[in-house]
Amino acid sequence: MSECQNVTGKPIANQPLLLNGKGKLFFDSNCKFGYKESPMFYSSYCYIEARNTDSEIIFGKNNYFNNNCRIEANVKIEFGNDVLVGVNCSFLDNDGHDLANDKRKSGIPNAAPIRIGNNVFIGDNVTILKGVSIGDNAVVGNGSLVTKSIPSNSVAVGNPAKVIRELN
């Protein structure tokens, strides 16, 4: 079912993994998707789409994405090394549709790259939106909606996500 023809590297798919789009997908070593002992293993799949010919999604080494992950890039989404992502998380570098009502079906949505640093832990049910950078060693709490960048060595939670403490 996967249609993306520009895939470099080989992800480890423990759950169905759908790779779509006209862009480029880069998987470094030991990039895993799905976990049998977590919710939604039998009832969902991971969806990755580099939508346009110039779109790209880059995965670093030793990343683990739990079940029902959704990653959609119009421009670029980049994951560092040793990233842990919980169940039912979304990474969207664009608005999906143009926000102007007369261009919603035909316009080009606003987009900005997403960058996830090294050794980042993202809890369950988190959504990360366009233009966000998450620094190295950061933690994003369950259920957070991340609309602004999060610095390295910090914990952020909420809707919208806000930094609540720094890590040592």
Side-chain angles (χ1 to χ4, degrees):
M1 281 184 21
S2 292
E3 296 176 357
C4 187
Q5 301 297 312
N6 298 310
V7 179
T8 301
K10 185 165 176 60
I12 300 168
N14 298 317
Q15 179 180 53
L17 178 61
L18 189 58
L19 307 176
N20 276 347
K22 300 172 186 172
K24 297 176 184 168
L25 303 176
F26 300 93
F27 296 93
D28 209 326
S29 61
N30 200 34
C31 190
K32 298 179 182 179
F33 294 85
Y35 188 64
K36 186 175 182 179
E37 288 76 18
S38 284
M40 304 176 83
F41 179 76
Y42 293 104
S43 61
S44 65
Y45 61 95
C46 294
Y47 180 82
I48 301 172
E49 179 182 8
R51 186 162 292 159
N52 306 311
T53 55
D54 57 346
S55 303
E56 59 183 357
I57 303 173
I58 301 169
F59 297 91
K61 296 177 182 163
N62 304 316
N63 291 335
Y64 210 117
F65 294 82
N66 212 314
N67 305 323
N68 199 41
C69 173
R70 177 178 160 207
I71 303 167
E72 296 180 26
N74 268 15
V75 285
K76 183 176 185 178
I77 300 176
E78 183 173 5
F79 296 90
N81 299 321
D82 303 304
V83 175
L84 297 174
V85 177
V87 173
N88 199 39
C89 289
S90 297
F91 301 82
L92 309 165
D93 78 348
N94 64 88
D95 290 334
H97 295 276
D98 194 296
L99 297 182
N101 62 3
D102 61 333
K103 295 180 183 175
R104 263 188 213 140
K105 292 183 181 177
S106 62
I108 297 172
N110 290 327
I114 293 173
R115 184 185 182 288
I116 310 298
N118 296 315
N119 197 39
V120 171
F121 173 38
I122 297 169
D124 294 346
N125 301 305
V126 171
T127 299
I128 298 178
L129 298 179
K130 70 177 190 255
V132 166
S133 290
I134 298 179
D136 294 346
N137 308 310
V139 176
V140 180
N142 290 354
S144 295
L145 175 64
V146 184
T147 61
K148 295 190 175 166
S149 293
I150 297 170
S152 296
N153 303 305
S154 61
V155 177
V157 298
N159 181 0
K162 294 185 192 288
V163 174
I164 60 166
R165 68 178 255 212
E166 292 184 15
L167 298 170
N168 296 333

